[in-house]
Amino acid sequence: MEDAALGWWGVPLAVIAGAIRISTPFLFVSLGECLTEKSGRINLGLEGTLVMGAMGGYGTAYLTGSPWAGVLVAGFLGMVFGLLHATICALPKVNDIAVGIALMLLGTGLAFFLGKPFIQPTAPHLPAVDFGFWSDVPQIRSALQINVLFVIGALLAVAMLWGFRSTRAGLIVRMVGDSADAARAMGYAPDRVRMWSTMAGGFLAGVGGSFLSLYYPGSWNEGLSSGQGITAVALVIFARWNPLYCFYASLLFGGASALGPALQAVGVTQGYYLFNAAPYALTLLIMVLASSSRRKLAGAPGELSVTR
Amino acid sequence: MSEDTRLKYGRAAEAIAIPLMAVLVSMVLFGGFVAAVGVDPIELYQLMYRGAFGTWFSWQNTLQRAAPLLLVALCTALPAQLGMVVIGAEGALVLGGLAAMAAGLPLAGAGAPVIVTQVVMAAAGMLAGGLWIGATGALRHRRGVSETISSLLMVYIAVAILNHMVEGPMRDPASLNKPSTPAIGEAYMIGDIPGMDVHWGFVLGVVFCIAAYVLMFHTTFGFAARMVGGNVRAGRAAGLPVGRLVVLVTMLGGAAAGLAGMIEVSAVHGRANATLAAGYGFTGILVAFLARQNPLAVIPVAILMGGIGASGGLLQRRLDLPDATVMVLQGILFVVLLASETLYGRLRLPVFSLKALLPTASGKA
């Protein structure tokens, strides 16, 4: 077997490859959630958006033959869910966390309902760029088969960091997130800013979902997302609402998710299921270490309900 | 009519009218949805009614499904009195079932008396669930970690622990393609209520809901908890042990969900395996919110949700709808219900002038 040729060296390589491959949905959801949370609202419904995006993207790609049309439709579906979340949360006395949970349930239900016909057929996949052409080792080559969406996500993280720091729009989002009253005093409508932020966040989460069904694992079924959306929400807190840290954190989570399968490939089967829990346990651990009951987290938007 | 009674009745009328309206609006929306996919909504609702409450058989099926929901909903409803949003009941249920098996199997193997075994299993399930959700309360209090996110992450960890145990240390070698723990045996299982096809877990669930209601609304402990829920700072200023309350109430909620897991393994499945994570924990969140976090209101709502779940099979067979149909209905119901929260204190019911009540009825905004 080819895996045996590398022996134990295959493990770190598989982890790195997995980090790049698995991190993309984490990256998109966390960037989207980062934007939403920066505007002072938390959208836990992105898990549902992710599943909805995966289904819609796959269905579209199957029907039109174009994976990129799938990505676009997935994004628009995500935007619709973002709009729904924003509209309901703008009503007085409505809890944004609870609405998120409700939309998680609705999105998952709708995706399972409408996605039934797409479980069997195969849709065209998203293309990958071969960065490993210089190597003869098949594992290295496959590890460096990098999807375009990953590259877009990485660039987006940098762009968002810059955007929050130095653009007018970024400043408005941050101001609304830190103090709705201050924003109102300056003549901005917090609810409208939050609506656009939540919609953009939903768009990104939908795109992240389409990566799941159109590239890796690369098919639509009901077990496709097992909490990646919600892990990504926690990841934003861990990343301290910094888009670039979201990128690093996504890589870390992708790597943690790849650890179990990588160890299994070299014959370590003990505790396979426990390794599956690694990303969740890691998130929890980091949240515990990073939080404190006495002070606010550095960088936390002042209006955010989970940090109050 | 005095101002006081008016306030009381006005609020009660609101608490009934608004959820009813939300249910009706959801039914219309869901009806539109199924009509869009080519199913006659009237026929669908008739079938749902028949599958849920139409016959004695379907009633029993409904109550059977309501049993875990009663307990699991408490896992969200109790911490909600403290202003916390706990959504990790599924994890407590799964571990409760696993712990109950871990405690019960050796006892059953040694031939212990049935009642002793069942009590020990229930205690083990409650302890496991209580510690699991109690941990999120402790983390919230000690480190300021959001209980919503930590409890949800812990669901995935709990399911992984369950899979690990039933694939490895606790696996019954005879369970080939569906790994399970050994079966507890017919003799040690929780039986049915005499004359019915509904197991005792339903009664246990109702008792727990009533007990939780009494605890929260008719004891000093509950009063203190709700005071902290209303305003943490005021609670601290009044000298209430906020941290202890947070941990205790989350533990109680987790214990209820853990008991639900014990009931599932010892009344329904007879063994622990992956089917324990059947989504009851997530439906329970909806039940708790629909009941407006009131343990007493959980009882009818859990029966309603149990009925919707029970009718799913009939919808699949008769109308050829996917099993996710019920999830869509639940999702719509949940979304509409939360949106309707905004009406509290603003609804002009014809019987009572609510305008006079506005300042009090708006409660905690």
Side-chain angles (χ1 to χ4, degrees):
Chain A
M1 245 181 78
E2 274 174 338
D3 273 334
L6 280 172
W8 277 91
W9 281 108
V11 176
L13 195 61
V15 169
I16 293 168
I20 294 173
R21 214 178 298 124
I22 303 172
S23 64
T24 309
F26 283 124
L27 178 58
F28 274 88
V29 181
S30 63
L31 286 179
E33 183 69 22
C34 183
L35 178 58
T36 309
E37 289 189 21
K38 273 282 188 194
S39 77
R41 201 170 262 155
I42 184 164
N43 182 0
L44 282 188
L46 290 190
E47 170 77 22
T49 310
L50 185 85
V51 181
M52 198 65 199
M55 187 282 295
Y58 196 79
T60 310
Y62 169 68
L63 295 173
T64 64
S66 159
W68 291 106
V71 173
L72 210 60
V73 167
F76 277 109
L77 284 173
M79 241 166 105
V80 172
F81 269 77
L83 177 66
L84 198 59
H85 187 271
T87 315
I88 297 172
C89 290
L91 299 168
K93 287 201 280 182
V94 175
N95 177 332
D96 52 354
I97 293 184
V99 175
I101 302 165
L103 286 179
M104 190 191 311
L105 192 68
L106 180 64
T108 320
L110 275 178
F112 289 1
F113 186 102
L114 299 170
K116 264 273 152 27
F118 301 122
I119 290 182
Q120 280 304 325
T122 14
H125 276 196
L126 285 169
V129 183
D130 193 4
F131 286 104
F133 55 86
W134 45 270
S135 170
D136 294 330
V137 186
Q139 281 91 340
I140 293 182
R141 287 190 77 117
S142 80
L144 290 176
Q145 285 260 329
I146 293 173
N147 188 272
V148 187
L149 275 183
F150 177 80
V151 181
I152 295 176
L155 294 176
L156 194 64
V158 180
M160 268 176 68
L161 185 69
W162 174 78
F164 279 136
R165 281 201 185 148
S166 342
T167 65
R168 189 184 169 81
L171 283 173
I172 295 173
V173 169
R174 275 167 52 199
M175 177 165 65
V176 167
D178 274 330
S179 165
D181 289 337
R184 228 174 265 121
M186 296 275 290
Y188 298 107
D191 279 336
R192 202 173 313 149
V193 173
R194 286 181 184 151
M195 188 181 86
W196 285 111
S197 305
T198 315
M199 279 167 74
F203 186 91
L204 291 179
V207 169
S210 71
F211 178 90
L212 279 178
S213 59
L214 290 174
Y215 188 71
Y216 184 82
S219 63
W220 160 252
N221 66 68
E222 294 179 357
L224 194 60
S225 165
S226 47
Q228 273 119 316
I230 207 70
T231 313
V233 172
L235 191 149
V236 178
I237 299 173
F238 162 46
R240 297 294 168 87
W241 297 272
N242 178 328
L244 199 58
Y245 292 173
C246 285
F247 175 63
Y248 299 144
S250 304
L251 279 177
L252 185 65
F253 280 66
S257 311
L259 193 60
L263 284 173
Q264 203 185 27
V266 292
V268 183
T269 49
Q270 269 292 316
Y272 173 73
Y273 287 96
L274 293 184
F275 280 112
N276 273 350
Y280 311 106
L282 186 70
T283 319
L284 190 62
L285 183 73
I286 288 166
M287 278 182 67
V288 171
L289 293 177
S291 311
S292 160
S293 57
R294 273 181 293 282
R295 60 181 164 76
K296 233 180 198 157
L297 292 171
E303 300 264 327
L304 204 61
S305 41
V306 277
T307 53
R308 265 202 282 220
Chain B
M1 193 172 346
S2 79
E3 202 60 11
D4 250 20
T5 35
R6 256 196 193 194
L7 186 110
K8 211 169 154 189
Y9 284 110
R11 275 197 178 172
E14 236 187 12
I16 292 169
I18 294 177
L20 273 183
M21 258 164 56
V23 169
L24 276 177
V25 170
S26 318
M27 281 178 72
V28 171
L29 285 175
F30 180 68
F33 173 76
V34 292
V37 296
V39 172
D40 177 13
I42 305 291
E43 192 192 350
L44 175 120
Y45 283 126
Q46 278 171 345
L47 269 181
M48 279 192 92
Y49 177 76
R50 191 135 51 90
F53 309 108
T55 64
W56 178 227
F57 175 80
S58 50
W59 256 106
Q60 297 185 96
N61 198 354
T62 293
L63 295 183
Q64 190 101 320
R65 278 168 186 268
L69 292 179
L70 289 165
L71 290 164
V72 154
L74 291 180
C75 191
T76 302
L78 288 179
Q81 308 296 334
L82 280 154
M84 300 169 78
V85 185
V86 171
I87 55 176
E90 184 95 351
L93 182 146
V94 159
L95 284 188
L98 190 66
M101 282 320 266
L105 283 172
L107 281 175
V114 172
I115 185 72
V116 174
T117 310
Q118 285 176 350
V119 169
V120 170
M121 284 175 79
M126 288 171 70
L127 189 68
L131 290 177
W132 196 247
I133 301 297
T136 70
L139 284 178
R140 164 66 188 255
H141 179 65
R142 302 291 299 243
R143 310 267 335 161
V145 177
S146 156
E147 74 286 354
T148 312
I149 292 175
S150 66
S151 66
L152 190 54
L153 288 172
M154 282 166 76
V155 171
Y156 298 104
I157 299 174
V159 172
I161 294 175
L162 172 75
N163 283 328
H164 176 74
M165 294 307 279
V166 300
E167 287 272 356
M170 286 176 70
R171 180 170 182 166
D172 175 11
S175 63
L176 293 174
N177 47 10
K178 196 179 172 196
S180 303
T181 64
I184 186 86
E186 200 63 44
Y188 286 94
M189 283 182 70
I190 295 181
D192 288 345
I193 304 166
M196 285 171 89
D197 245 354
V198 182
H199 57 73
W200 282 103
F202 178 75
V203 177
L204 216 53
V206 171
V207 169
F208 261 69
C209 283
I210 295 171
Y213 173 77
V214 172
L215 179 72
M216 279 297 152
F217 291 91
H218 294 283
T219 64
T220 12
F221 176 83
F223 180 73
R226 286 185 297 126
M227 186 170 170
V228 171
N231 187 335
V232 179
R233 242 185 257 151
R236 280 227 177 81
L240 293 173
V242 174
R244 211 178 310 153
L245 282 169
V246 165
V247 175
L248 264 177
V249 173
T250 42
M251 277 185 84
L252 283 176
L259 184 63
M262 177 268 178
I263 288 173
E264 280 298 289
V265 296
S266 59
V268 183
H269 302 301
R271 52 179 77 221
N273 58 32
T275 49
L276 261 182
Y280 278 123
F282 295 107
T283 312
I285 305 168
L286 173 59
V287 171
F289 272 90
L290 197 53
R292 299 203 42 125
Q293 321 290 3
N294 180 329
L296 218 48
V298 160
I299 301 172
V301 176
I303 294 174
L304 181 70
M305 282 300 138
I308 293 179
S311 67
L314 196 63
L315 294 185
Q316 274 183 60
R317 284 194 304 275
R318 289 291 181 80
L319 298 175
D320 201 24
L321 285 171
D323 49 358
T325 314
V326 168
M327 259 178 103
V328 177
L329 175 57
Q330 287 178 341
I332 293 177
L333 190 57
F334 205 168
V335 172
V336 173
L337 181 84
L338 288 170
S340 76
E341 291 269 318
T342 191
L343 294 175
Y344 286 90
R346 296 206 295 180
L347 199 65
R348 304 274 170 86
L349 292 174
V351 197
F352 307 99
S353 146
L354 277 166
K355 209 173 168 191
L357 315 175
L358 257 178
T360 25
S362 53
K364 49 168 185 170

